[in-house]
Amino acid sequence: MLEKYNRMRMYYRQPAGAWEETLPVGNGSLGGMIWGGVSEERIGLNEESVWSGYERDTNNPEAYRYLEQSRRMIFEGDYPGAEELIRRHMLGEYNESYLPVGNLCIRFSHGEGHKAYERSLELETAEASVSYTCGGVSYRREYFVSYPQKAMYIRLTASEKMPSVTVSFDSQLPMTVKETGNELQFEMRCFEHVDPHYIRNSEQPVITGTKGKRFTARLRLLRTDGVVSCQNSSMTVENATEIVFAFSAVQNKEHLPEYEQAKAEHIADYQAIYRKAELFLGEQLELPTDERLKRLREGKEDTGLYALYFQYGRYLMISSSRKGGLPANLQGIWNWEVRPPWSSNWTANINLEMNYWPVQSCNLQECVSPYLDFLQKVRKNGSKTAKTHFGCRGFCAGHNLDYWCACNPVGIPYGQNEGEPGSVVWGFFVMAGAWMCQELWKQYEYHPDETFLKEQVYPTLREAVLFLIDWLVPYQGKWVTCPSTSPENRFFTADGKPAVAAMASAIDLAIIREVFQNFRKTCRLLKKDDSCLSDIDRIEPDLFPFQIGKHGQLQEWCGDFEEKDPGHRHLSHLYGLFPGELFEHDERLKEACRKALERRLEHGGGQTGWSCAWVINLYAVLGDAEKAYENLQKLLKNSTYDNLWDAHPPFQIDGNFGGIAGIANMLVQDRDGEVKLLPALPRAWKDGYVKGLCLKNNKKIDIVWENGNLKDSRIYE
């Protein structure tokens, strides 16, 4: 195979000037954001289980009483009336919020004057560093977060004895501090409730209370050659050439190894995942990353930057989703606000699922278990939502999920009894649980295992099928979902009124067909004659069909309505094309999807980061290399911060993960029984190679191309 210089490193010549410029480090659960200030370093800290709220039932027992009435109104064409009914009677409370643990502050008394500054992140070893000289003395800081040790290690060194270094910790959470020898211990409590940031008129958006989760964080001094003292909830070290700290929260190991051993274990653990895949698209330029982005925006070529972006996305996944933890949320694990954007929760009408689009193809198998474990919690809690809200068997979930795994459709502010105006447009989507099952089936397709199929895939899919069987209702000889929405998009009724709730949206139809199909396959593999199969046989032939509208586009709703926002960011009606595989061999529907996509983009769609990432994948599976590349360029130029985080705006990590899934789909696809090599290779990527992308059935692939043509490939286990 072709080998080229391919060092994956991000670096900058100045400290971060904004949170979106910090360098993220993490071990799947514990996260840090490195600012890199000279006289004062701040490290924003998170732990994935630190959430507001407490265990309670947020389902709405009144919702089911209004279900039949809402259906009648929709069948009669009173879409706005049905929306108002849903808003007033059929929603539940909003989710709780993911919270920051706090900030570690390290103050240096050497003054501000400095030279030769560099702040960097080595993707090969998952280490961040800051280095500079001040007063003729060389200073260096090193940071990594260890998955084996469940702690962040911080090493400060200098070429001569440092003046005093003082470390303190601040938090917006209630906290008490204990000083014990060379350790600061922080007893902390989460807030009892936090309103989402978009509730503007709340009288008490943050309730401290007493019911919030309690946890302990610890800052330990592991080694120094200086003089240590603790006072006023801070620690000071004087006359040292080396200081090594460890910070932990929630998961606090009693004994931690020394720096060198911990670093070696950290690198070995991380590289066991990271090194499974490699991408070369051109030499890595020895320029700061922000300058490379600036050059790209100016129209200069830097093909290597796309490979850096690809590996950075893999780094972010490894750093925010590991076995035993929670899935990557809307911001991975990195959040600095008590009321973060969209509560930094799991938004399950695209964003949660998009986060996991690359785990199979990009050889990140070790990162998928938090998602699958979380799905089992959704299955359990969602069964109560299905019964309480809709009188259905099985399980379902709305578009927002939180640490407490509340599965109800959201929209009601805390302490109130009806949804906010407009809340149905985002709050009422009941297909998220069934959508989440897609990754469950993919896990089996990529890594066939009969035990997994029997113990997880079969029972979970069966519960999803039961809900869908009960949720579908007959209408004029067809089976439809009702009420049905197309996530967060509105249409105009015949008399020009905006509405959101109708029946049989395209995304509902695609998810149902996919779940039915995957359940059939599961039963066949397990040789099960399940009673649900006869129900599927009864329903499936008369399931409401996909429709093609007056523009030649795949219709989004049951009627050929005019969209309120023709350039809407969601591309929900194209689910059957991607992330689904339903249309892979149906040229008629693929062409209708292409026209629907073009119509969205003609009206300004694809401007948010994650939406642009979805567009890349859609064009890749359509085989349109140049359109896929054009939107990948757009993603980096218009929707990427200087630290390569995705800009919704603000920061959402789904665009990073969707973007690297798109790059993988440009290079190889394994869809509906057919493997395609270089299906969407753009002209700009003239020469290159990729190693370790994954195919279904436990296969991996290496590909080399020259002058835009396939030169060599190898499929192996």
Side-chain angles (χ1 to χ4, degrees):
M1 296 289 289
L2 182 67
E3 298 288 352
K4 294 283 187 179
Y5 172 74
N6 211 24
R7 183 184 180 189
M8 294 296 167
R9 175 175 180 259
M10 297 163 56
Y11 75 99
Y12 305 83
R13 293 190 175 119
Q14 69 285 328
W19 179 66
E20 296 85 357
E21 297 174 10
T22 59
L23 292 177
V25 292
N27 67 354
S29 300
L30 180 66
M33 297 156 283
I34 312 301
W35 286 76
V38 176
S39 61
E40 179 179 300
E41 169 69 280
R42 289 187 75 79
I43 306 170
L45 295 162
N46 292 105
E47 205 284 335
E48 64 177 2
S49 66
V50 175
W51 282 73
S52 65
Y54 54 95
E55 193 78 48
R56 62 192 183 92
D57 187 357
T58 55
N59 289 299
N60 179 358
E62 296 295 308
Y64 182 54
R65 292 175 51 197
Y66 296 89
L67 179 58
E68 288 306 316
Q69 184 181 349
S70 71
R71 285 172 170 165
R72 285 196 303 271
M73 296 173 81
I74 287 169
F75 291 158
E76 293 167 2
D78 185 6
Y79 305 120
E83 178 181 343
E84 181 64 10
L85 184 77
I86 294 167
R87 181 189 72 81
R88 294 181 62 194
H89 300 294
M90 295 179 67
L91 303 177
E93 284 188 19
Y94 283 117
N95 285 167
E96 291 295 340
S97 298
Y98 179 51
L99 302 172
V101 171
N103 295 285
L104 196 64
C105 180
I106 308 174
R107 295 181 179 87
F108 300 84
S109 61
H110 54 41
E112 279 287 354
H114 65 277
K115 297 186 296 184
Y117 180 93
E118 183 177 282
R119 179 171 55 103
S120 68
L121 177 62
E122 293 283 352
L123 301 186
E124 294 283 347
T125 55
E127 297 173 277
S129 66
V130 173
S131 61
Y132 55 89
T133 62
C134 185
V137 178
S138 299
Y139 292 86
R140 181 172 174 81
R141 310 171 200 159
E142 300 167 1
Y143 319 80
F144 64 86
V145 189
S146 166
Y147 178 73
Q149 301 305 330
K150 313 301 181 191
M152 173 187 284
Y153 280 75
I154 304 162
R155 182 176 184 243
L156 315 175
T157 58
S159 59
E160 297 179 14
K161 289 186 176 182
M162 293 179 264
S164 65
V165 176
T166 300
V167 185
S168 60
F169 179 77
D170 63 73
S171 177
Q172 299 175 76
L173 303 179
M175 175 180 72
T176 58
V177 184
K178 296 180 182 177
E179 303 166 5
T180 55
N182 289 353
E183 178 179 313
L184 299 178
Q185 190 165 301
F186 313 100
E187 301 295 334
M188 309 183 74
R189 188 176 74 244
C190 298
F191 295 118
E192 190 170 293
H193 170 73
V194 173
D195 278 340
H197 78 290
Y198 42 79
I199 297 179
R200 304 296 184 191
N201 56 354
S202 175
E203 293 182 3
Q204 195 175 2
V206 178
I207 298 174
T208 301
T210 59
K211 298 177 182 178
K213 177 179 178 178
R214 296 174 183 270
F215 68 97
T216 301
R218 298 168 70 178
L219 176 70
R220 285 175 262 189
L221 177 65
L222 299 184
R223 186 171 75 204
T224 187
D225 58 354
V227 179
V228 185
S229 61
C230 291
Q231 57 183 352
N232 301 322
S233 302
S234 64
M235 184 184 300
T236 299
V237 182
E238 297 182 285
N239 298 320
T241 59
E242 181 190 46
I243 309 170
V244 178
F245 294 109
F247 180 88
S248 59
V250 182
Q251 302 181 71
N252 295 288
K253 282 193 170 186
E254 199 58 41
H255 301 289
L256 294 174
E258 283 292 341
Y259 183 83
E260 290 75 14
Q261 179 185 341
K263 181 175 178 179
E265 291 175 355
H266 157 71
I267 292 173
D269 168 76
Y270 169 78
Q271 288 185 342
I273 309 172
Y274 176 84
R275 284 188 167 177
K276 286 183 176 182
E278 183 182 352
L279 175 62
F280 180 83
L281 298 173
E283 301 288 342
Q284 291 298 317
L285 301 181
E286 277 295 331
L287 288 172
T289 307
D290 51 343
E291 291 183 24
R292 293 179 72 177
L293 267 178
K294 183 174 182 291
R295 292 176 77 255
L296 194 71
R297 293 177 183 128
E298 293 169 348
K300 297 181 175 67
E301 276 294 336
D302 185 354
T303 55
L305 185 57
Y306 299 107
L308 180 70
Y309 182 83
F310 177 80
Q311 290 291 47
Y312 180 61
R314 295 182 71 250
Y315 163 84
L316 291 174
M317 176 58 72
I318 299 167
S319 301
S320 60
S321 183
R322 294 293 301 273
K323 185 177 181 179
L326 294 166
N329 65 41
L330 206 59
Q331 295 175 308
I333 50 172
W334 300 282
N335 163 47
W336 69 316
E337 298 177 82
V338 166
R339 297 180 72 193
W342 300 282
S343 301
S344 193
N345 61 20
W346 293 281
T347 306
N349 65 8
I350 175 61
N351 313 98
L352 168 59
E353 294 87 352
M354 181 180 283
N355 278 1
Y356 285 82
W357 284 357
V359 292
Q360 304 296 349
S361 60
C362 297
N363 215 332
L364 293 162
Q365 164 69 10
E366 293 84 350
C367 301
V368 74
S369 63
Y371 180 100
L372 301 178
D373 293 345
F374 193 63
L375 175 56
Q376 296 310 307
K377 295 178 184 176
V378 171
R379 175 184 159 199
K380 178 177 179 291
N381 289 10
S383 64
K384 186 168 185 178
T385 298
K387 182 178 180 180
T388 303
H389 276 253
F390 308 117
C392 294
R393 297 171 295 169
F395 80 99
C396 69
H399 96 296
N400 271 173
L401 300 164
D402 61 11
Y403 175 77
W404 310 103
C405 211
C407 294
N408 56 273
V410 302
I412 300 178
Y414 187 77
Q416 299 186 26
N417 56 19
E418 64 178 41
E420 291 187 293
S423 57
V424 178
V425 73
W426 61 81
F428 194 87
F429 177 68
V430 303
M431 303 295 290
W435 185 343
M436 287 183 70
C437 291
Q438 184 187 69
E439 194 62 49
L440 180 74
W441 176 253
K442 277 188 180 179
Q443 169 66 15
Y444 176 76
E445 283 191 301
Y446 277 81
H447 305 279
D449 178 271
E450 187 171 347
T451 301
F452 176 74
L453 187 71
K454 182 178 180 179
E455 295 181 358
Q456 288 200 46
V457 178
Y458 169 72
T460 308
L461 279 179
R462 190 176 195 277
E463 292 294 307
V465 166
L466 284 171
F467 173 75
L468 296 174
I469 289 169
D470 289 358
W471 180 239
L472 286 159
V473 291
Y475 175 75
Q476 295 184 353
K478 298 295 181 185
W479 291 96
V480 301
T481 52
C482 185
S484 172
T485 62
S486 189
E488 304 189 36
N489 202 6
R490 287 186 176 275
F491 59 89
F492 285 117
T493 62
D495 55 359
K497 295 179 180 177
V500 63
M503 58 179 151
S505 67
I507 187 172
D508 286 8
L509 300 171
I511 291 173
I512 291 167
R513 286 182 167 91
E514 181 180 75
V515 170
F516 283 179
Q517 179 186 96
N518 292 340
F519 185 68
R520 281 184 189 279
K521 292 176 182 176
T522 299
C523 289
R524 187 167 61 249
L525 288 163
L526 293 175
K527 297 180 174 58
K528 283 185 176 289
D529 184 18
D530 193 284
S531 60
C532 288
L533 294 174
S534 59
D535 287 318
I536 293 174
D537 290 340
R538 173 176 54 88
I539 291 169
E540 201 169 36
D542 295 319
L543 195 59
F544 195 89
F546 295 107
Q547 305 282 310
I548 295 178
K550 57 181 172 290
H551 304 290
Q553 88 287 6
L554 188 73
Q555 276 183 201
E556 192 159 357
W557 297 276
C558 55
D560 197 4
F561 302 122
E562 291 292 335
E563 306 102 316
K564 186 174 185 291
D565 179 7
H568 198 265
R569 62 194 176 277
H570 281 260
L571 299 156
S572 308
H573 50 322
L574 307 185
Y575 180 104
L577 179 64
F578 189 88
E581 300 177 15
L582 294 176
F583 304 161
E584 187 65 17
H585 300 296
D586 190 326
E587 293 304 320
R588 173 176 165 271
L589 290 180
K590 284 174 74 173
E591 184 58 26
C593 287
R594 182 191 296 275
K595 289 184 177 178
L597 176 57
E598 290 171 349
R599 179 171 167 77
R600 272 286 204 272
L601 298 179
E602 285 167 5
H603 288 85
Q607 297 300 326
T608 61
W610 62 263
S611 181
C612 188
W614 200 345
V615 173
I616 296 164
N617 285 278
L618 288 165
Y619 273 126
V621 300
L622 286 169
D624 194 329
E626 298 313 315
K627 285 289 186 181
Y629 183 58
E630 175 186 318
N631 283 277
L632 180 59
Q633 287 182 305
K634 180 179 170 183
L635 179 64
L636 266 70
K637 289 179 179 179
N638 301 342
S639 299
T640 298
Y641 293 112
D642 281 350
N643 69 352
L644 299 188
W645 268 350
D646 172 70
H648 172 74
F651 164 51
Q652 286 187 194
I653 206 164
D654 41 22
N656 288 98
F657 296 145
I660 70 169
I663 291 172
N665 272 318
M666 292 165 75
L667 299 174
V668 66
Q669 295 170 20
D670 189 352
R671 292 169 52 80
D672 198 29
E674 183 181 0
V675 175
K676 299 176 183 178
L677 305 188
L678 306 180
L681 183 71
R683 289 187 295 269
W685 295 352
K686 183 180 175 183
D687 303 313
Y689 67 82
V690 66
K691 297 180 181 180
L693 293 186
C694 290
L695 304 174
K696 295 174 183 178
N697 295 303
N698 278 321
K699 298 292 193 295
K700 299 176 182 64
I701 187 167
D702 299 346
I703 307 172
V704 181
W705 64 93
E706 288 185 0
N707 294 316
N709 297 311
L710 179 67
K711 181 184 179 185
D712 188 22
S713 66
R714 182 172 70 101
I715 295 177
Y716 55 98
E717 290 190 0

